[in-house]
Amino acid sequence: MSPFRHKPQRLNGYFALTNGFKKFGAAILAALASFLLYLPDLGNGFINWDDDHYVYDNPHILSFDGSLLKWAFTTFHAANWHPLTWLSHGLDIQIWGLNPLGHHLTNNLLHTVNTFLVVLLAARLLEIGGRSSFFSIVTPPPSAPPLKIRGGRGSYDPGGGEGGVTPKGVLIAAATAGLLFGLHPLHVESVAWVAERKDVLCAFFFLLGLLAYAKYADNTDESDPVLKRFSKGSYLLVLTLFLCALMSKPMAVTFPAVLLILDWYPLKRISAGTWRRVILEKAPFLVASLVSSLLTIKAQSSGGAVLSLKAIPLPARLFLGIKAIAVYLWKMAFPYRLVPFYPYPNDANFFAPQHLGPVLLVVSATCLFIWLARKNKLWLAAWGCYVVMLFPVLGFVQAGGQEMADRYTYLPSIAPFFVAGLGAAWVYERAAGMKTIKALFMGSAALLFLSMSYLTVKQINRWANDFVFWNYIIAEEPTLALPHNNLALAYAHEGMTDRTIDQLQRAIQLQPRWPVSHYNLANTYMRLNMRDRAIAEFNITVALDPGFAEAHNNLGILYASQGAFSKAVQHFGAAAQLQPANGTFNANLKRATEEWGQGR
C-alpha cells in the first residue's frame, strides 16, 4: 500500500484552509476601506428630515426600558412599523445621548459589517456554484493546478473541469463586489442619514440570513419532509434572521423570493422531484412577508403617506417603476447628480425618450436573460434578484412624493455588483501571463475605486448640516417646495426670522396647496405675535387639510386671545376629535368649555 495515499486529502485541507484565510482577509480589507472612507461622516450633524421624528424630537426613545419595548412593537410612529430600528435608536440615546457622532458611528459600523458580509456571501455563492455554468464567465488559465477544493455541496475545481474558477478568481470577484458595495456613492444616503438606520440594520440581518441559508441548503437532504426541515436549527436561524430584517425595515419582504431564485440557481435545489418541498419550506417566510406588507400599508396609510390611484394612476406607476429599474443601474455605473429627493416628473408624456428608452431597455434585457438561461442561468438569476429586491420601492404602491431614492438601491445593488465582480475576475484571469494587460487592469481598477471614493466623500459632505444639505437640493431641484420649507425650519432654529419667512413664502409659491408650508409660516407669524396673519395661514392650512389637528389647536389659541370664544371652542373640539389621545388638545377643550361656558 502506498504511503502517500492520504497526501491528496491533506493537500486539499491545506488549500481550503489557506483559501478561507484569504477570503476572510479580503472581507476585512474591504470592510476597513469602507469604515475609513466614512470617517468624515462622524463630523456631520442631524438633518431636520426625519432625524427629528426618529431621534432628537422623539421622546419615546429616551429611556431604554419596558415602555420603549412596548411602544416600539405597537407604534406606527413616522408611518412605519420597524421595532428593531426604534430599539437601535433608543440604545444609541443611552450610549451617546443626542451627540450625532455616535449615531453616525453606529450607521458606519453597520455598513462596515455589511461590506464584510457581502464579500463572504459573494465568495460563498462562487463556492456553491462550483463547476456549474453559473461561473463559466470565469475560466481559469490553462496552467492552473488541478486541485479540488471542497466547499460543502459546492465543491469546485480551480483548475480542471469545465467552467471552473480559481481561488484567486473567487477572491477578486468577491472583493470587487464588496468594495463596490462599501465605497459606492449611491449608498451614502443609507449610511450618512441617521434616520436611514433601518436600511443598514435591515441589510445586516438580510445578509446574515442569506449566508445562514447557504449553509442550511448545503446540509439539507432534499428528500426530507417539510415538517422535519421546520425543526432544524439551521432553518430556524434563517427564519429568525429574516424576521429581524423585517422588524428593521419592511423592504426585507423580498427575502423568500430571493431564496427561491437562489434555490433555482446556483443552489439547484428545484427539480422535478423537489420543487414542491422547496417551495413549501418557504411558507413561514411568505406568511411573515404578507403580515409585514399589511402592517406597512396600514402604517403608511395612517401617516397619510400612501397616495391614491387618483393622484398617480396605475399606468404611470407601472411605467415609471419599470423605468426606475434601468435608471438605478445607470446611477450605479455613472454615479453623478445624486440627489436625496427625486420628484415625480411633471410631464406625462411617457413616449418621451427619457421615459420610453429605459423601459424598452428593461424589457429587452429581461427577454435576453430569459433566452440566455437555456445555457447560462447566471444572468437571469442575478437580474431576478436585482428586480425582486427593488420591487417594493418601484412605486406600484406609492408612498411619498418621490419617484426614486438612492437609498432604495442599498440591498438590490448587491446583484449587479456581484456580476461586476465576476467580470473583473474574468478579465484578470484572461490577462494571466500578460503583464502589460494585467498592469493596465490593476491600474484601471485602482483609478475606479479612487474616483468612487472621491465622489463618496463629496456626497458625505453634503449631509454635513441642514444648511449645506438643503441648499444642495435647492441647487439641483429648484422647483421643489420641501427643501425651502425645511431650510426655513433650520433658519428658525437659529432665530433668523426674515430668512425663515422668505424660504416659507418661496415654498408656498412653488407648491401653494401644500399645507405644511402654510402651517410653518403661520407658526412663525404666531411667534412674532402677528395674529391676523397667523390666523389667515392656519385657516388656509385647515382648508387644505381638515385633518391637521395641530393647526386647529393653534387656531383655538389665537381665537381665544382675540376673544372669539365660540371659534376657539370649535377648533379645540376639532383638534381633540382628530387626536383623542392627545392630552394637550383635550385639556385645551375642557378648559375652554368650562371657562367660556360660564361667560369668561
Side-chain angles (χ1 to χ4, degrees):
M1 184 179 294
S2 169
F4 301 106
R5 65 187 179 91
H6 297 297
K7 186 174 181 179
Q9 295 177 0
R10 291 197 300 269
L11 195 59
N12 284 347
Y14 168 76
F15 273 94
L17 184 63
T18 302
N19 190 59
F21 280 128
K22 289 182 178 179
K23 180 176 64 176
F24 275 89
I28 290 171
L29 289 175
L32 180 61
S34 170
F35 178 79
L36 294 175
L37 184 66
Y38 275 88
L39 284 179
D41 185 42
L42 302 185
N44 289 351
F46 293 118
I47 300 295
N48 64 358
W49 188 29
D50 284 354
D51 282 358
D52 48 353
H53 301 301
Y54 277 71
V55 183
Y56 63 84
D57 278 343
N58 185 357
H60 303 283
I61 64 172
L62 295 179
S63 58
F64 200 85
D65 53 17
S67 62
L68 170 60
L69 191 66
K70 179 182 177 181
W71 177 82
F73 278 89
T74 59
T75 187
F76 287 155
H77 184 71
N80 278 293
W81 185 82
H82 40 47
L84 289 190
T85 295
W86 294 128
L87 293 176
S88 76
H89 285 302
L91 187 59
D92 267 358
I93 289 289
Q94 298 307 305
I95 299 172
W96 304 101
L98 288 177
N99 184 351
L101 182 149
H103 298 262
H104 285 293
L105 178 61
T106 302
N107 278 21
N108 189 356
L109 289 173
L110 282 168
H111 180 61
T112 299
V113 175
N114 291 343
T115 302
F116 177 84
L117 295 176
V118 167
V119 176
L120 295 186
L121 178 63
R124 187 64 186 135
L125 290 177
L126 282 163
E127 291 170 353
I128 290 174
R131 293 165 59 115
S132 73
S133 61
F134 185 79
F135 303 108
S136 61
I137 187 174
V138 186
T139 54
S143 59
L147 296 172
K148 293 186 178 180
I149 299 175
R150 297 296 299 176
R153 171 195 299 271
S155 61
Y156 64 96
D157 183 347
E162 182 181 354
V165 55
T166 65
K168 185 172 289 186
V170 170
L171 290 176
I172 291 173
T176 300
L179 285 171
L180 286 171
F181 179 86
L183 308 183
H184 203 286
L186 202 59
H187 289 171
V188 168
E189 187 170 307
S190 295
V191 185
W193 190 6
V194 171
E196 274 308 302
R197 168 72 51 78
K198 52 193 173 185
D199 245 2
V200 289
L201 189 62
C202 172
F204 170 70
F205 291 116
F206 198 103
L207 291 167
L208 278 179
L210 291 180
L211 282 166
Y213 184 75
K215 184 175 182 180
Y216 160 78
D218 228 14
N219 296 284
T220 296
D221 186 343
E222 299 303 341
S223 63
D224 286 345
V226 174
L227 289 179
K228 182 179 178 181
R229 300 182 191 188
F230 288 167
S231 62
K232 293 182 67 172
S234 55
Y235 178 91
L236 295 174
L237 175 61
V238 177
L239 181 58
T240 300
L241 290 169
F242 167 55
L243 293 175
C244 289
L246 278 179
M247 290 187 287
S248 301
K249 186 176 183 180
M251 193 167 174
V253 293
T254 60
F255 188 81
V258 172
L259 295 188
L260 287 171
I261 292 172
L262 295 180
D263 282 337
W264 176 68
Y265 215 75
L267 297 176
K268 290 190 172 181
R269 299 183 66 218
I270 298 179
S271 62
T274 64
W275 67 270
R276 287 183 179 87
R277 285 190 293 270
V278 170
I279 292 176
L280 280 175
E281 93 181 347
K282 305 301 183 299
F285 295 85
L286 294 170
V287 170
S289 287
L290 177 61
V291 171
S292 177
S293 298
L294 294 175
L295 283 172
T296 300
I297 291 173
K298 186 175 180 180
Q300 295 281 325
S301 299
S302 69
V306 177
L307 301 183
S308 67
L309 289 174
K310 183 178 180 180
I312 303 176
L314 184 59
R317 299 181 185 209
L318 293 173
F319 201 92
L320 293 175
I322 296 171
K323 169 194 168 186
I325 294 172
V327 176
Y328 283 131
L329 286 175
W330 177 263
K331 287 185 175 294
M332 290 177 204
F334 303 99
Y336 73 98
R337 197 178 174 272
L338 302 179
V339 186
F341 194 95
Y342 302 102
Y344 245 80
N346 292 324
D347 65 275
N349 181 15
F350 296 138
F351 294 100
Q354 67 269 27
H355 297 315
L356 185 60
V359 172
L360 293 177
L361 182 62
V362 170
V363 173
S364 301
T366 303
C367 294
L368 175 63
F369 297 148
I370 292 173
W371 180 76
L372 287 174
R374 296 179 300 173
K375 293 184 177 180
N376 190 329
K377 297 184 175 70
L378 161 68
W379 304 105
L380 187 57
W383 181 252
C385 286
Y386 168 66
V387 174
V388 161
M389 285 193 282
L390 264 181
F391 186 82
V393 291
L394 291 178
F396 302 138
V397 178
Q398 181 64 28
Q402 73 283 346
E403 179 190 6
M404 298 168 50
D406 294 347
R407 60 188 178 275
Y408 294 163
T409 67
Y410 192 72
L411 271 172
S413 64
I414 295 172
F417 291 162
F418 178 64
V419 173
L422 284 174
W426 181 84
V427 172
Y428 186 88
E429 297 284 13
R430 288 292 183 180
M434 296 181 284
K435 292 184 178 180
T436 303
I437 300 298
K438 187 172 288 188
L440 182 62
F441 167 76
M442 297 298 289
S444 299
L447 181 62
L448 170 67
F449 287 119
L450 285 173
S451 301
M452 190 181 301
S453 299
Y454 168 76
L455 292 175
T456 296
V457 171
K458 190 174 181 180
Q459 194 70 11
I460 289 170
N461 291 335
R462 288 167 177 158
W463 289 80
N465 55 58
D466 291 330
F467 300 105
V468 173
F469 180 75
W470 293 116
N471 276 307
Y472 168 68
I473 298 180
I474 289 170
E476 295 294 333
E477 296 288 350
T479 61
L480 277 179
L482 174 67
H484 288 286
N485 177 83
N486 286 27
L487 182 59
L489 297 180
Y491 282 131
H493 186 264
E494 297 297 322
M496 304 171 73
T497 305
D498 291 342
R499 292 192 177 186
T500 300
I501 294 173
D502 178 61
Q503 290 297 324
L504 288 171
Q505 288 175 340
R506 291 188 190 184
I508 291 170
Q509 288 174 358
L510 290 168
Q511 197 171 341
R513 299 191 60 78
W514 189 34
V516 174
S517 294
H518 289 284
Y519 173 77
N520 288 331
L521 183 57
N523 275 335
T524 304
Y525 287 143
M526 191 175 178
R527 286 193 298 270
L528 295 173
N529 205 29
M530 300 170 69
R531 298 178 184 178
D532 290 338
R533 290 190 179 185
I535 288 173
E537 290 297 332
F538 278 132
N539 275 316
I540 294 174
T541 303
V542 297
L544 293 172
D545 182 5
F548 209 131
E550 292 82 0
H552 281 291
N553 183 70
N554 288 355
L555 269 173
I557 293 172
L558 287 169
Y559 279 130
S561 70
Q562 292 186 337
F565 299 129
S566 61
K567 289 184 178 180
V569 172
Q570 175 188 344
H571 284 287
F572 283 139
Q577 186 176 5
L578 287 166
Q579 293 186 15
N582 190 304
T584 300
F585 296 168
N586 285 313
N588 287 343
L589 176 61
K590 182 179 179 180
R591 180 180 177 185
T593 303
E594 291 176 351
E595 293 189 8
W596 301 327
Q598 298 173 6
R600 297 183 184 180

